Amino acid sequence: MQTHTGEKPYRCEECSRQFSQLSNLKAHMRTHTGEKPYRCEECSNQFSLFHHLKAHRMTHSGEKPYICEECSRQFSRFGKLKRHIRTHTGEKPYTCEECSKQFSRLGHLKIHIRTHTGEKPYRCKECSRQFSQLDSLKKHLRTHTGEKPYKCKECSRQFSQLGNLKTHMLTHTREKPYRCEKCSRQFSDLDDLKKHMRTHTGEKPYKCEECNRQFSRLGHLEEHIRTHTGEKPYNCEECSRQFSRLGHLKRHKRTHTGEKPYRCEECSRQYSQLCHLKAHMRTHTGEKPYRCEECSKQFNELGHLKTHIRTHTGEKPYTCEVCSRRFNLLYSLKKHMVTHTTEFVQV
């Protein structure tokens, strides 16, 4: 009768949640005690609810008794079939009370709500970093363990995330299915297209809480934050030098390996960094993209322009530690230092 009256006389002493049936309260109590009395005879996996064990058993038997009438896809659990049917109907029964955004799954709504509350219940035991989603924590843990469970069947390269493998596979097929409607540039990954679109819209959704600087990519914000924290999580195994960016570590490693993966197609000269190759290519093309705003003189390297600007500003950033004389070029300072070396020899 209580199911009709709405009466819920059974209350959990831990969290005050109420239930209409004693059996439901007992089952709920296991979420607090951690008790899992139902054991799978096949793999010894344990469950707190009997129907969870029944559903699990189907993973061993392969039984999928629930069939979608739209596409004939089969499921081992009725709940999974119900969720799947929403992909056909478009139904989104779960609504966020904060922003009215709707979701097809209750779990997705719960995760979304954390964007409003800022809750991050999943903590990494290695570095104490916190995450709003369990999947995000699992992915992050692989940065500590080095686990790469996803392998490319073409070249056997391994990846820590499935999305990275899928993106990598497109390098074999050369497929770029995502096209920018603004400039027709194509991308192999949808996320890359979304990031690229911000170059057109100017959108910068990621803001630094320290200095309010905004960024178009989350990765750029994370790198920027390290300028405030001083964190350098990337460590060279050869010399223990630390870096704030993974790209900087990769470039540094080439000083140990001697690797020069960037080759000039004109003269076959090789470089360890792409920016060095680009600068070199201008010696062939004659391109000088850096222009002085004072006198319109042009340069093929940004560093050369910065040096030239000092002839206008009078800036002399290099100081001799012996006599305090200042110079606008590092080369000039080094040449000057020889005069002191000669003095010491004569003495």
Side-chain angles (χ1 to χ4, degrees), residues 314-331:
E315 181 191 9
K316 295 182 177 181
Y318 304 104
T319 304
C320 174
E321 294 180 355
V322 177
C323 67
S324 300
R325 188 175 170 185
R326 302 176 71 182
F327 299 87
N328 65 345
L329 298 175
L330 179 60
Y331 167 77

Side-chain angles (χ1 to χ4, degrees), residues 6-40:
E7 184 186 2
K8 294 182 177 181
Y10 304 102
R11 181 190 294 270
C12 172
E13 294 181 357
E14 288 286 333
C15 65
S16 300
R17 188 173 171 185
Q18 291 175 284
F19 299 88
S20 58
Q21 296 182 36
L22 179 60
S23 59
N24 291 346
L25 171 61
K26 287 180 177 178
H28 165 77
M29 286 302 296
R30 295 182 194 126
T31 64
H32 297 297
T33 63
E35 182 189 7
K36 295 182 178 180
Y38 304 104
R39 183 189 294 271
C40 173

Side-chain angles (χ1 to χ4, degrees), residues 47-105:
F47 301 87
S48 59
L49 299 175
F50 181 64
H51 70 269
H52 289 176
L53 171 61
K54 285 179 69 177
H56 166 77
R57 281 174 176 164
M58 293 173 187
T59 63
H60 296 298
S61 66
E63 183 185 1
K64 294 183 177 180
Y66 304 104
I67 300 173
C68 174
E69 294 180 356
E70 285 288 330
C71 65
S72 300
R73 188 173 171 185
Q74 294 175 287
F75 299 87
S76 59
R77 298 188 188 186
F78 181 61
K80 288 185 176 180
L81 171 61
K82 285 177 71 177
R83 288 197 297 267
H84 165 77
I85 286 172
R86 293 180 194 134
T87 64
H88 296 297
T89 64
E91 182 191 7
K92 295 182 177 181
Y94 305 104
T95 303
C96 174
E97 294 180 356
E98 286 286 331
C99 65
S100 300
K101 190 172 181 180
Q102 292 177 292
F103 299 87
S104 60
R105 296 188 183 188

Side-chain angles (χ1 to χ4, degrees), residues 252-288:
H252 165 77
K253 280 183 174 178
R254 294 181 191 131
T255 63
H256 296 297
T257 63
E259 182 191 8
K260 294 182 178 181
Y262 304 105
R263 181 190 294 269
C264 173
E265 293 181 357
E266 288 288 330
C267 65
S268 299
R269 191 170 175 183
Q270 291 176 281
Y271 296 87
S272 60
Q273 295 185 37
L274 179 60
C275 61
H276 293 170
L277 171 60
K278 287 180 176 179
H280 164 78
M281 286 300 296
R282 296 181 194 125
T283 64
H284 296 296
T285 63
E287 182 190 7
K288 294 182 178 181

